[in-house]
Amino acid sequence: MMSNILSILIFFPVVSALVIFALWRSGKATMWAAFVASVIEFLLTMPLMWNFDKGTAAMQFVEKYDWVKAWGISYYVGVDGISILMVFLTTLLTAISILASFKYIGKRQREFYIAMLILEAAIVGVFVSLDFFLFYIFWEAMLIPMYLIIGVWGGKRRVYAAIKFFLYTLAGSVLMMLAIIALYFKHGQLTGEYTFDILKITAASAQYSVSFQTIVFLAFFLGFAIKVPMFPFHTWLPDAHVEAPTAGSVILAGVLLKMGTYGFLRFCLPITPIASIKFVPLVAILSIVAIIYGALVAMVQEDVKKLVAYSSVSHMGFVTLGIYALNQSGIEGGILQMFNHGIITGALFLLIGLIYERTHTRLIADYGGIAQKVPVYATIFAIFTFGSIGLPSMGAFIGEFLVLVGAFKAFSDYAIIAASGVIFAAVYMLWMYQRVFFQQFNSKWENIEDVNVREFIYLFPLIIIVFWVGIYPETFTSYMHESVKNLIEQINTVKIALK
């Protein structure tokens, strides 16, 4: 089984979706069938985590089969320390999102759960692909179910938000496709082998000229920056978050944004190292702008969901800042923060969706003093509020600390400015929490219900992980040490050559 574990992780959700389509039509049956399938998918990642060799940077659980041999296309998958946590995060959040949707999704339930499973398969495929052609197929396949999830089950402006999301992402995809084609032909010209093999194309990076690396880097960078989204390519994100159903917001914030930063780590840094080094100042500036801008805009939001959406722009700025610090602590902090952001922001969107089901409003001004009526909900929301701020003993503190340490080593002036984002986060999150849960009680919420058993079940694992990462981060960072070390060695070799 372990020799084919990645293929199982990719295709099991697809097979499950087909079975649901063929056998069930009622909402209740499809709900439970999709949830059971997603739980099995998550449990299948456990052998992957347990059997992963943390002592090597090499790809593991590799499967490779010729697909279109004449064009150098193969079905080629594998994981390393950079991608394995993203696979774990994807399967965990999908299972939780499906359980959280039982009450929220009232129409076309079968189609919704099928879309969720197909989306999960595509995202896992993105993180494990080692062939550019295969990677691009999964990258594009992800667009369709996410577009439908926003456009069919979203809010009042769902069609506008879905089209905006689709067009922005498609624009980035076209640029990425051009970069992939350029690498395919360049590698063929240099080596005589025309292939889409990511590892072979990466191994030949020293032979790529500075001008060629610059062009490819910019194409990749724009494609991935839109997905992150980095400032100023972020404008699709608040609309998509606000209009998406709860499950869509969780997957969007928790996993889809990470596909952009994963692209920086997997493609930009190792394939175009000279150009990556050259553009470090620009990326650092854009990251700082995102950190400050996202925080300031979050402060003035009246809709709690839009506030959390803009906070994602700010938090992802820390991730890109850490990655382009180009040192061990910065990159590891960036990867850990990708994981933390998925857990914490995903939980916040779950909590917002939970209260919206009861009140049918997301306006901060409509609440007030509800902590006295929903103490368990208020306590859980406080945990993730403090987690988002980066309180010590919680995961985000470790991630942000490593990012800032790496940033101080690489560019101390930028790091000092970026550190102010931590203060701004405390301002907008605590101010929001105060207005929603304290102050004068709004009497129309007299009969509001607290967290039920089902809701506590899907929130509890996220609470455990937030404290686990914060108290003993080595459990998670140990997966990435060797892979990041190998990446840093490649970059340092280039730096020495440039001198």
Side-chain angles (χ1 to χ4, degrees):
M1 178 180 169
M2 291 307 299
S3 60
N4 301 110
I5 186 65
L6 296 182
S7 289
I8 294 172
L9 287 171
I10 293 170
F11 294 109
F12 178 75
V14 177
V15 173
S16 300
L18 293 174
V19 171
I20 290 172
F21 178 80
L23 298 183
W24 291 290
R25 292 190 179 276
S26 70
K28 191 171 184 179
T30 57
M31 284 191 312
W32 283 105
F35 176 62
V36 169
S38 65
V39 170
I40 293 172
E41 174 81 352
F42 172 68
L43 293 176
L44 287 171
T45 62
M46 294 298 98
L48 193 72
M49 304 291 286
W50 293 329
N51 291 285
F52 186 84
D53 184 357
K54 300 177 182 180
T56 177
M59 289 292 171
Q60 301 179 46
F61 309 102
V62 173
E63 299 173 51
K64 187 174 184 180
Y65 311 100
D66 289 334
W67 187 2
V68 186
K69 195 171 183 179
W71 296 349
I73 299 172
S74 59
Y75 174 82
Y76 189 15
V77 294
V79 291
D80 66 353
I82 293 173
S83 57
I84 191 168
L85 288 180
M86 297 301 103
V87 174
F88 173 82
L89 182 65
T90 301
T91 58
L92 173 65
L93 290 183
T94 301
I96 288 174
S97 298
I98 288 175
L99 181 58
S101 301
F102 277 19
K103 187 178 177 182
Y104 190 89
I105 302 300
K107 64 177 182 179
R108 297 184 178 275
Q109 292 172 314
R110 180 178 67 158
E111 289 81 358
F112 173 80
Y113 294 112
I114 287 173
M116 286 292 292
L117 292 171
I118 297 296
L119 178 62
E120 178 180 33
I123 296 171
V124 171
V126 165
F127 288 129
V128 303
S129 293
L130 297 179
D131 180 277
F132 264 126
F133 190 85
L134 185 67
F135 170 84
Y136 191 77
I137 287 175
F138 285 127
W139 183 278
E140 291 295 276
M142 169 277 305
L143 275 177
I144 299 169
M146 194 69 225
Y147 172 81
L148 293 174
I149 288 169
I150 298 172
V152 176
W153 294 278
K156 293 180 180 179
R157 299 174 70 244
R158 59 184 179 272
V159 175
Y160 167 78
I163 292 173
K164 192 173 183 180
F165 160 77
F166 191 90
L167 291 178
Y168 264 80
T169 307
L170 187 63
S173 299
V174 170
L175 291 169
M176 187 173 68
M177 179 181 65
L178 294 174
I180 291 170
I181 293 172
L183 286 168
Y184 173 78
F185 283 106
K186 190 67 173 180
H187 185 272
Q189 291 171 2
L190 292 172
T191 65
E193 181 183 8
Y194 289 87
T195 180
F196 286 97
D197 185 321
I198 293 171
L199 299 185
K200 288 183 178 179
I201 289 173
T202 301
S205 62
Q207 301 179 58
Y208 305 147
S209 66
V210 176
S211 58
F212 178 77
Q213 284 196 31
T214 301
I215 294 170
V216 170
F217 172 84
L218 289 173
F220 271 140
F221 178 78
L222 289 171
F224 297 138
I226 290 171
K227 181 67 75 177
V228 169
M230 291 184 70
F231 179 90
F233 311 106
H234 66 285
T235 56
W236 65 267
L237 181 66
D239 290 314
H241 269 318
V242 169
E243 300 305 324
T246 298
S249 294
V250 172
I251 299 299
L252 189 61
V255 186
L256 259 64
L257 306 189
K258 314 309 181 294
M259 289 164 58
T261 46
Y262 174 77
F264 292 148
L265 291 162
R266 179 66 73 218
F267 306 127
C268 289
L269 296 186
I271 295 177
T272 59
I274 297 174
S276 296
I277 294 168
K278 178 181 175 182
F279 283 98
V280 161
L282 174 63
V283 179
I285 290 171
L286 290 178
S287 299
I288 290 170
V289 171
I291 291 169
I292 306 301
Y293 167 84
L296 293 177
V297 176
M299 281 184 198
V300 298
Q301 296 307 311
E302 298 176 352
D303 183 319
V304 66
K305 197 173 187 184
K306 188 169 280 191
L307 182 151
V308 176
Y310 275 107
S311 78
S312 290
V313 176
S314 183
H315 290 307
M316 292 304 290
F318 277 104
V319 174
T320 52
L321 184 69
I323 290 172
Y324 279 88
L326 303 183
N327 53 47
Q328 188 88 14
S329 54
I331 293 178
E332 288 193 3
I335 297 171
L336 189 61
Q337 199 61 355
M338 288 162 62
F339 183 80
N340 288 328
H341 179 266
I343 297 295
I344 294 169
T345 306
L348 288 171
F349 279 123
L350 287 169
L351 288 163
I352 293 166
L354 183 158
I355 202 72
Y356 180 79
E357 290 175 8
R358 291 157 166 77
T359 63
H360 303 291
T361 180
R362 291 192 298 263
L363 295 180
I364 297 172
D366 287 343
Y367 292 100
I370 65 170
Q372 60 183 286
K373 294 296 179 181
V374 285
V376 176
Y377 177 79
T379 301
I380 296 173
F381 206 109
I383 289 171
F384 289 107
T385 296
F386 291 133
S388 182
I389 293 169
L391 197 72
S393 80
M394 293 184 168
F397 171 76
I398 304 297
E400 288 179 355
F401 180 80
L402 289 174
V403 165
L404 290 174
V405 168
F408 268 102
K409 291 179 182 177
F411 25 66
S412 57
D413 293 343
Y414 294 152
I416 293 170
I417 300 172
S420 65
V422 178
I423 300 171
F424 289 134
V427 172
Y428 65 73
M429 289 301 294
L430 293 177
W431 188 34
M432 176 272 291
Y433 190 85
Q434 178 194 23
R435 287 178 289 165
V436 171
F437 292 96
F438 301 118
Q439 296 185 338
Q440 185 174 353
F441 175 64
N442 188 336
S443 59
K444 69 179 178 180
W445 309 130
E446 184 68 38
N447 297 317
I448 191 172
E449 296 179 3
D450 208 342
V451 174
N452 60 38
V453 174
R454 176 181 63 87
E455 292 160 344
F456 185 78
I457 287 172
Y458 66 68
L459 289 166
F460 185 69
L462 302 180
I463 296 172
I464 295 297
I465 292 174
V466 164
F467 285 105
W468 191 345
V469 178
I471 295 170
Y472 192 67
E474 182 65 15
T475 303
F476 301 89
T477 57
S478 59
Y479 284 96
M480 63 184 80
H481 287 328
E482 291 302 317
S483 294
V484 172
K485 182 180 177 181
N486 181 62
L487 180 59
I488 295 299
E489 287 174 354
Q490 295 176 42
I491 294 169
N492 288 339
T493 300
V494 173
K495 285 182 178 179
I496 292 170
L498 289 175
K499 292 179 181 178

